[in-house]
Amino acid sequence: MAATLTGHGPGRTRSADELRTLVERASRDLADASAPEIASWAANTFGRRLAVACSMAGDTVLPHLVARYLPGVDVLFLETGYHFAETIGTRDAVAAVMDVSVVDVQPAQTVAEQDAEHGPRLYERNPGLCCGLRKVAPINAELASYEAWVTGIRREDNANRAHALPVEWDQTHQMVKVNPIVAWSFDDLLGYASEHSVPINLLLTDGYPSIGCEPCTRRPKPGEDARAGRWAGVAKTECGLHL
Ligand code: SF4
């Protein structure tokens, strides 16, 4: 059982071995399941010990999907201090119209405090450290208080994610990772959002198929993969959350 309870979750009651066994079973049972079936399984299996990670980019369908089976579910939003105004607006819209509890996951330092310690624009000089301080450390502390988390990973995002499964063992966080929309295309995602009136980030339809912090995101060029506009020009493709 995890001892750290700095997050908003109720903590863990299952051991890592018990959670791993659940993943093994789910890998068989849910291999070809639909997104609602995967979300329903996660809600029924973990209840309040399940959280949804949402970047308020292309993944606002996730809180909607999970809240159908688990009203009031905790939705973790990494408030890095570097978001586009459209992303903050999307977070506020999700909190207003969905039956979810949005949690702003905050870094230990404000941007001003980080600038004072490391110098301004750390993201230009050392994006790995910046992501570590503003995303990875805060989400690690938060996830320790849940048994499972739901992510918006899709196989078509890039080559690293091409073999992602609906339910996986998250070795880094020693917990269950649920990827209900893993098999969806970008059009599937927009179709669900349209059908259910889910608020979407306006940048998605303005040439940004993948949206992160404003200083580290640009529009991909024609022919590039969806995440090519993230940390463009540096050898970095993931923020460290999905290692
Ligand atoms: Fe910093 Fe960029 Fe990572 Fe945001 S995406 S935490 S600005 S390096």
Side-chain angles (χ1 to χ4, degrees), residues 80 82 123 127 130-131 134-135 213 215-216 231:
T80 63
Y82 281 120
Y123 50 80
C130 186
C131 273
R134 310 205 72 73
K135 291 183 169 181
C213 293
C216 301
W231 303 284

PDB file of all heavy atoms in Angstrom, residues 80 82 123 127 130-131 134-135 213 215-216 231, ligand 1:
ATOM      1  N   THR A  80       0.674  24.109 -15.395  1.00  0.00           N
ATOM      2  CA  THR A  80       2.111  24.416 -15.461  1.00  0.00           C
ATOM      3  C   THR A  80       2.409  25.909 -15.371  1.00  0.00           C
ATOM      4  O   THR A  80       3.546  26.295 -15.154  1.00  0.00           O
ATOM      5  CB  THR A  80       2.706  23.907 -16.785  1.00  0.00           C
ATOM      6  OG1 THR A  80       2.059  24.610 -17.870  1.00  0.00           O
ATOM      7  CG2 THR A  80       2.505  22.409 -16.942  1.00  0.00           C
ATOM      8  N   TYR A  82       2.097  27.719 -18.022  1.00  0.00           N
ATOM      9  CA  TYR A  82       2.536  28.079 -19.372  1.00  0.00           C
ATOM     10  C   TYR A  82       1.483  27.744 -20.435  1.00  0.00           C
ATOM     11  O   TYR A  82       1.823  27.598 -21.606  1.00  0.00           O
ATOM     12  CB  TYR A  82       3.818  27.323 -19.723  1.00  0.00           C
ATOM     13  CG  TYR A  82       5.075  27.903 -19.128  1.00  0.00           C
ATOM     14  CD1 TYR A  82       5.861  27.139 -18.258  1.00  0.00           C
ATOM     15  CD2 TYR A  82       5.497  29.181 -19.446  1.00  0.00           C
ATOM     16  CE1 TYR A  82       7.036  27.639 -17.724  1.00  0.00           C
ATOM     17  CE2 TYR A  82       6.672  29.693 -18.917  1.00  0.00           C
ATOM     18  CZ  TYR A  82       7.440  28.923 -18.064  1.00  0.00           C
ATOM     19  OH  TYR A  82       8.606  29.429 -17.547  1.00  0.00           O
ATOM     20  N   TYR A 123      12.544  26.381 -20.272  1.00  0.00           N
ATOM     21  CA  TYR A 123      12.072  25.461 -21.319  1.00  0.00           C
ATOM     22  C   TYR A 123      12.936  25.525 -22.573  1.00  0.00           C
ATOM     23  O   TYR A 123      13.021  24.554 -23.320  1.00  0.00           O
ATOM     24  CB  TYR A 123      10.607  25.754 -21.675  1.00  0.00           C
ATOM     25  CG  TYR A 123      10.304  27.205 -21.954  1.00  0.00           C
ATOM     26  CD1 TYR A 123      10.597  27.787 -23.169  1.00  0.00           C
ATOM     27  CD2 TYR A 123       9.736  27.994 -20.956  1.00  0.00           C
ATOM     28  CE1 TYR A 123      10.335  29.132 -23.397  1.00  0.00           C
ATOM     29  CE2 TYR A 123       9.470  29.332 -21.178  1.00  0.00           C
ATOM     30  CZ  TYR A 123       9.774  29.904 -22.408  1.00  0.00           C
ATOM     31  OH  TYR A 123       9.526  31.220 -22.623  1.00  0.00           O
ATOM     32  N   PRO A 127      14.474  21.757 -21.408  1.00  0.00           N
ATOM     33  CA  PRO A 127      13.058  21.390 -21.306  1.00  0.00           C
ATOM     34  C   PRO A 127      12.831  20.148 -20.449  1.00  0.00           C
ATOM     35  O   PRO A 127      11.767  20.011 -19.835  1.00  0.00           O
ATOM     36  CB  PRO A 127      12.632  21.165 -22.764  1.00  0.00           C
ATOM     37  CG  PRO A 127      13.890  20.958 -23.524  1.00  0.00           C
ATOM     38  CD  PRO A 127      14.961  21.729 -22.798  1.00  0.00           C
ATOM     39  N   CYS A 130      12.571  21.455 -16.981  1.00  0.00           N
ATOM     40  CA  CYS A 130      11.334  22.237 -16.842  1.00  0.00           C
ATOM     41  C   CYS A 130      10.127  21.304 -16.735  1.00  0.00           C
ATOM     42  O   CYS A 130       9.284  21.452 -15.842  1.00  0.00           O
ATOM     43  CB  CYS A 130      11.192  23.195 -18.027  1.00  0.00           C
ATOM     44  SG  CYS A 130       9.803  24.333 -17.877  1.00  0.00           S
ATOM     45  N   CYS A 131      10.033  20.313 -17.636  1.00  0.00           N
ATOM     46  CA  CYS A 131       8.927  19.347 -17.560  1.00  0.00           C
ATOM     47  C   CYS A 131       8.993  18.548 -16.262  1.00  0.00           C
ATOM     48  O   CYS A 131       7.963  18.227 -15.664  1.00  0.00           O
ATOM     49  CB  CYS A 131       8.968  18.382 -18.746  1.00  0.00           C
ATOM     50  SG  CYS A 131       8.113  18.956 -20.219  1.00  0.00           S
ATOM     51  N   ARG A 134       7.648  20.922 -13.520  1.00  0.00           N
ATOM     52  CA  ARG A 134       6.294  21.472 -13.671  1.00  0.00           C
ATOM     53  C   ARG A 134       5.242  20.415 -14.018  1.00  0.00           C
ATOM     54  O   ARG A 134       4.046  20.665 -13.904  1.00  0.00           O
ATOM     55  CB  ARG A 134       6.276  22.593 -14.710  1.00  0.00           C
ATOM     56  CG  ARG A 134       7.353  23.644 -14.468  1.00  0.00           C
ATOM     57  CD  ARG A 134       7.058  24.998 -15.031  1.00  0.00           C
ATOM     58  NE  ARG A 134       6.013  25.686 -14.274  1.00  0.00           N
ATOM     59  CZ  ARG A 134       6.182  26.208 -13.049  1.00  0.00           C
ATOM     60  NH1 ARG A 134       7.337  26.115 -12.446  1.00  0.00           N
ATOM     61  NH2 ARG A 134       5.183  26.799 -12.440  1.00  0.00           N
ATOM     62  N   LYS A 135       5.692  19.235 -14.458  1.00  0.00           N
ATOM     63  CA  LYS A 135       4.725  18.195 -14.813  1.00  0.00           C
ATOM     64  C   LYS A 135       4.987  16.883 -14.056  1.00  0.00           C
ATOM     65  O   LYS A 135       4.099  16.353 -13.396  1.00  0.00           O
ATOM     66  CB  LYS A 135       4.785  17.905 -16.325  1.00  0.00           C
ATOM     67  CG  LYS A 135       4.272  19.024 -17.203  1.00  0.00           C
ATOM     68  CD  LYS A 135       4.312  18.601 -18.660  1.00  0.00           C
ATOM     69  CE  LYS A 135       3.576  19.573 -19.555  1.00  0.00           C
ATOM     70  NZ  LYS A 135       3.593  19.145 -20.965  1.00  0.00           N
ATOM     71  N   CYS A 213       2.241  23.073 -23.497  1.00  0.00           N
ATOM     72  CA  CYS A 213       2.503  24.436 -23.049  1.00  0.00           C
ATOM     73  C   CYS A 213       2.786  25.325 -24.261  1.00  0.00           C
ATOM     74  O   CYS A 213       3.399  24.888 -25.245  1.00  0.00           O
ATOM     75  CB  CYS A 213       3.710  24.444 -22.120  1.00  0.00           C
ATOM     76  SG  CYS A 213       3.443  23.592 -20.565  1.00  0.00           S
ATOM     77  N   PRO A 215       4.958  27.785 -24.952  1.00  0.00           N
ATOM     78  CA  PRO A 215       6.306  27.996 -25.489  1.00  0.00           C
ATOM     79  C   PRO A 215       6.856  26.766 -26.229  1.00  0.00           C
ATOM     80  O   PRO A 215       7.817  26.898 -26.987  1.00  0.00           O
ATOM     81  CB  PRO A 215       7.171  28.283 -24.253  1.00  0.00           C
ATOM     82  CG  PRO A 215       6.226  28.554 -23.145  1.00  0.00           C
ATOM     83  CD  PRO A 215       4.953  27.835 -23.474  1.00  0.00           C
ATOM     84  N   CYS A 216       6.272  25.608 -26.003  1.00  0.00           N
ATOM     85  CA  CYS A 216       6.823  24.357 -26.541  1.00  0.00           C
ATOM     86  C   CYS A 216       5.903  23.714 -27.571  1.00  0.00           C
ATOM     87  O   CYS A 216       6.019  22.516 -27.845  1.00  0.00           O
ATOM     88  CB  CYS A 216       7.085  23.372 -25.406  1.00  0.00           C
ATOM     89  SG  CYS A 216       8.227  23.999 -24.170  1.00  0.00           S
ATOM     90  N   TRP A 231       7.832  20.401 -28.634  1.00  0.00           N
ATOM     91  CA  TRP A 231       9.270  20.525 -28.423  1.00  0.00           C
ATOM     92  C   TRP A 231      10.037  20.445 -29.751  1.00  0.00           C
ATOM     93  O   TRP A 231      11.067  19.792 -29.848  1.00  0.00           O
ATOM     94  CB  TRP A 231       9.791  19.461 -27.460  1.00  0.00           C
ATOM     95  CG  TRP A 231       9.104  19.486 -26.138  1.00  0.00           C
ATOM     96  CD1 TRP A 231       9.298  20.377 -25.125  1.00  0.00           C
ATOM     97  CD2 TRP A 231       8.108  18.571 -25.675  1.00  0.00           C
ATOM     98  NE1 TRP A 231       8.465  20.085 -24.074  1.00  0.00           N
ATOM     99  CE2 TRP A 231       7.721  18.981 -24.373  1.00  0.00           C
ATOM    100  CE3 TRP A 231       7.496  17.449 -26.223  1.00  0.00           C
ATOM    101  CZ2 TRP A 231       6.765  18.310 -23.641  1.00  0.00           C
ATOM    102  CZ3 TRP A 231       6.531  16.786 -25.490  1.00  0.00           C
ATOM    103  CH2 TRP A 231       6.185  17.213 -24.216  1.00  0.00           C
TER     104      TRP A 231
HETATM  105 FE1  SF4 B   1       8.223  23.585 -19.445  1.00  0.00          FE
HETATM  106 FE2  SF4 B   1       7.697  23.313 -22.067  1.00  0.00          FE
HETATM  107 FE3  SF4 B   1       7.585  21.183 -20.399  1.00  0.00          FE
HETATM  108 FE4  SF4 B   1       5.731  23.117 -20.294  1.00  0.00          FE
HETATM  109  S1  SF4 B   1       6.115  21.665 -22.018  1.00  0.00           S
HETATM  110  S2  SF4 B   1       6.715  22.156 -18.550  1.00  0.00           S
HETATM  111  S3  SF4 B   1       6.996  24.959 -20.695  1.00  0.00           S
HETATM  112  S4  SF4 B   1       9.411  22.381 -20.993  1.00  0.00           S
END
